[in-house]
Amino acid sequence: MTDGYIRVGRVLHGTTAEGPGLRTAIWFQGCSIQCKGCINPHLFSPRGGNYTPVLEIVEQAVSTGVEGLTLIGGEPFDQPDAGAELASAAQDQGLGVIAFSGYEYESLRTREDRTSDFLASVDLLVDGPYQAWNAETRRALVGSGNQRFLHLTDRYKTYRPEIVANRVDVRVRADGSIDVAGFLDAKGLSALADLTGTSRTYRKA
Ligand code: SF4
C-alpha cells in the first residue's frame, strides 16, 4: 500500500517537450532495469530523489493548466502503488496520463501487485527498454526502435510520433542550474553540453 508519497528525481510543470500539449513531466526515482547506455544513471538508485506527496504534484499540475502528465524515469512501474495513486488522481482531475516503462506491456500485465491499477489509469503506454544498438531515427519521444506506443484509451489516438518533431525544453534557473527535458540524440547532447558547460541531461526509458 502507498502512504500517499512518491519518490521522484524531478518534476517539471508546463513543458511541451514530453508529449502532446502542455504537460507535467515526472521523473520517477529508481530503475531496476538499468539499460546499457542509459544516460539517466543518477535515477537508478531507489534511495535518491525526493519523497513527495502525490496529491501535491497533481494539484500543482492542475494549477499550471497542463493537459496531462508524462511519467518517465527511472522506472515508473518500480513504484506501482504510488504510480497507481498518481495516475488515478490525475485522471480524476481530467488530466491525461502518458507513462514510459522499460518493461514490456505483456510483462507488466502478469504482475500481481498494483501494476494493473496503474495501467488502468494510463492512456498511452510507451514500453520497452532502451537499446543503444537500435537507435530510433524516425519517431519522436523514444530512443530505440523496439519501443512501442500502446494506446490503452483513445485519448492520444491522434498523436503520431512519426510525424511530430522532438522538442527540447532548456531552462536556466536563477541559481544558474539548468533543467533539460525532451529527447536529444548523442550529437544533440554533445552540442547542449558544449553550450551549457554541463553534461547533465535526461532521457526517457
Ligand atoms: S532507459 Fe529507462 S528503463 Fe532503461 S535504464 Fe534508463 S531509466 Fe531505466
Side-chain angles (χ1 to χ4, degrees):
M1 293 294 292
T2 177
D3 57 4
Y5 282 70
I6 188 166
R7 190 166 289 281
V8 295
R10 190 166 63 124
V11 177
L12 185 66
H13 296 289
T15 182
T16 57
E18 300 292 352
L22 198 64
R23 315 196 67 77
T24 288
I26 300 154
W27 284 261
F28 282 52
Q29 180 70 40
C31 180
S32 59
I33 302 175
Q34 304 193 3
C35 309
K36 189 174 181 184
C38 173
I39 60 168
N40 283 332
H42 59 288
L43 296 176
F44 284 179
S45 172
R47 288 182 292 281
N50 296 306
Y51 208 44
T52 305
V54 163
L55 294 182
E56 179 182 299
I57 295 173
V58 174
E59 286 166 9
Q60 288 175 350
V62 170
S63 68
T64 305
V66 300
E67 188 280 332
L69 307 185
T70 298
L71 314 182
I72 49 183
E75 173 51 51
F77 288 87
D78 279 355
Q79 298 184 63
D81 293 334
E85 185 169 325
L86 175 66
S88 173
Q91 287 196 332
D92 286 347
Q93 294 296 320
L95 301 178
V97 177
I98 298 173
F100 286 76
S101 178
Y103 294 103
E104 292 180 342
Y105 180 55
E106 292 79 1
S107 160
L108 293 173
R109 290 194 60 184
T110 66
R111 293 187 180 182
E112 295 180 352
D113 55 17
R114 288 196 67 203
T115 294
S116 56
D117 294 335
F118 191 173
L119 288 171
S121 295
V122 170
D123 296 292
L124 171 60
L125 177 72
V126 185
D127 79 340
Y130 172 63
Q131 297 175 341
W133 47 269
N134 183 18
E136 173 65 52
T137 57
R138 196 172 51 93
R139 299 173 300 164
L141 296 183
V142 290
S144 56
N146 60 302
Q147 294 171 299
R148 301 178 298 181
F149 288 76
L150 302 175
H151 294 277
L152 306 186
T153 74
D154 288 342
R155 183 158 181 142
Y156 296 110
K157 277 270 186 187
T158 59
Y159 179 68
R160 302 274 304 278
E162 66 276 15
I163 62 170
V164 299
N166 273 317
R167 301 173 69 103
V168 178
D169 184 342
V170 181
R171 301 183 190 185
V172 181
R173 299 192 182 277
D175 65 1
S177 63
I178 297 171
D179 262 345
V180 181
F183 184 83
L184 283 169
D185 61 15
K187 199 172 163 189
L189 288 170
S190 174
L192 181 64
D194 288 347
L195 187 67
T196 62
T198 178
S199 61
R200 189 171 188 206
T201 48
Y202 303 88
R203 171 180 281 160
K204 295 164 286 298

